[in-house]
Amino acid sequence: MPSTPSHSGVSLTPAIDAPTGQESALDILGVLAAMPIFSNVGTGSLSAIAAGAEMIRLKKGAVLFRQGDMPTGFYLVIEGQIKLAFTATRGAEKVISLRGPQQSFGEAVMFADKPYPVYTQAIAESRLLRIPREPVFELLDRDPEVARRMLAGLSMRLHAMVLDVEAYSLRSSAERLIGFLLQSAGTGEEVAEGRVEIDLPASKLIIASRLNVTPETLSRVQHDLIEAGLISVQGRHIVIHDVRRLREYRP
């Protein structure tokens, strides 16, 4: 089947698989119960949400929704990696966010009842849970604690976007890449210093767009960090030789 063009400039490929018989309502209920915002929700309320939820499998390159589509719920990534991006008038792509396992997206637009400002595309084979808005709204009316948790999650995402704007405006390309690597390594005490190995979640092209630099600039900065003995690179596999040294590095 040929690809179908969309007004976002992204080809829609027929790459969405129907869920298998193994992905039962019981599986969906377990996934929901593991989400922090639903951790203390009673089985009855959770079952109502699970009843309308849908498991979706995406092949690599599949577009889930297009820029301008209307939301019907929000999504939780179970496996894989999802890219949120928009396309400029001249066709250039800007990656807004990468969402991985146990991360959600689409809540803010669902609440606003506005068209999606971005499109979403699987950059790896992925499995998602689509959670419809009607039972979620009913739960929020009954349980203020769930509303607070969802609001906290949206607030943290807004805070991250503000930090992005700061990085694009005030930080050098090297500082952006270092920040991205440190964030990928985690921020806990266990990685405060010493050697850490990470696997990048996406291609160099996507990460460059995410950091608002050109792929050529990203390659140059990566080479500089290698020459400085701070990292080693093999494909998407990155070895940070000393987290503290990388954090303190000033190009």
Side-chain angles (χ1 to χ4, degrees):
M1 183 182 298
S3 297
T4 304
S6 75
H7 62 272
S8 66
V10 180
S11 294
L12 300 184
T13 56
I16 300 179
D17 289 342
T20 67
Q22 295 179 339
E23 292 166 342
S24 63
L26 184 61
D27 297 323
I28 291 176
L29 192 62
V31 170
L32 289 174
M35 291 180 67
I37 60 172
F38 295 138
S39 60
N40 293 322
V41 175
T43 303
S45 296
L46 211 54
S47 296
I49 294 176
E54 175 188 12
M55 201 78 78
I56 300 172
R57 287 184 177 272
L58 298 177
K59 294 180 181 178
K60 182 179 180 180
V63 173
L64 180 63
F65 56 73
R66 297 168 293 178
Q67 197 171 334
D69 287 349
M70 290 300 295
T72 58
F74 72 100
Y75 297 86
L76 171 70
V77 182
I78 301 172
E79 298 171 353
Q81 198 78 218
I82 302 295
K83 172 183 71 178
L84 280 68
F86 63 82
T87 305
T89 52
R90 295 187 179 181
E93 179 185 75
K94 170 55 186 164
V95 177
I96 301 300
S97 181
L98 299 174
R99 311 303 289 169
Q102 292 301 307
Q103 293 183 316
S104 59
F105 59 91
E107 302 99 314
V109 180
M110 176 186 73
F111 286 123
D113 197 27
K114 299 288 186 181
Y116 288 116
V118 298
Y119 69 88
T120 52
Q121 186 174 34
I123 58 176
E125 288 198 11
S126 302
R127 192 159 59 109
L128 312 175
L129 189 63
R130 188 188 75 85
I131 304 172
R133 62 184 176 186
E134 288 78 9
V136 173
F137 286 177
E138 292 174 4
L139 176 60
L140 295 180
D141 288 339
R142 298 193 309 268
D143 193 334
E145 180 59 29
V146 175
R148 281 193 290 269
R149 290 179 192 172
M150 191 165 286
L151 183 60
L154 293 174
S155 298
M156 290 176 63
R157 205 168 301 168
L158 176 61
H159 180 65
M161 291 180 66
V162 171
L163 293 180
D164 276 353
V165 173
E166 177 193 12
Y168 302 154
S169 304
L170 304 177
R171 297 181 186 177
S172 68
S173 300
E175 289 171 330
R176 296 179 205 178
L177 178 57
I178 290 171
F180 182 81
L181 294 176
L182 293 173
Q183 183 181 44
S184 298
T187 56
E189 290 297 325
E190 69 277 7
V191 292
E193 56 184 31
R195 175 189 170 100
V196 176
E197 297 188 27
I198 60 176
D199 290 305
L200 296 178
S203 68
K204 182 182 294 184
L205 185 65
I206 291 175
I207 291 174
S209 178
R210 177 72 184 87
L211 299 179
N212 207 34
V213 298
T214 65
E216 294 76 17
T217 296
L218 185 65
S219 294
R220 175 180 56 77
V221 172
Q222 183 176 279
H223 177 74
D224 290 345
L225 296 180
I226 293 172
E227 288 293 302
L230 295 169
I231 65 172
S232 297
V233 179
Q234 186 172 9
R236 291 190 184 182
H237 188 72
I238 308 287
V239 177
I240 300 175
H241 297 297
D242 190 302
V243 171
R244 181 183 56 80
R245 284 186 60 218
L246 181 64
R247 184 181 289 117
E248 295 175 354
Y249 176 72
R250 295 295 180 269

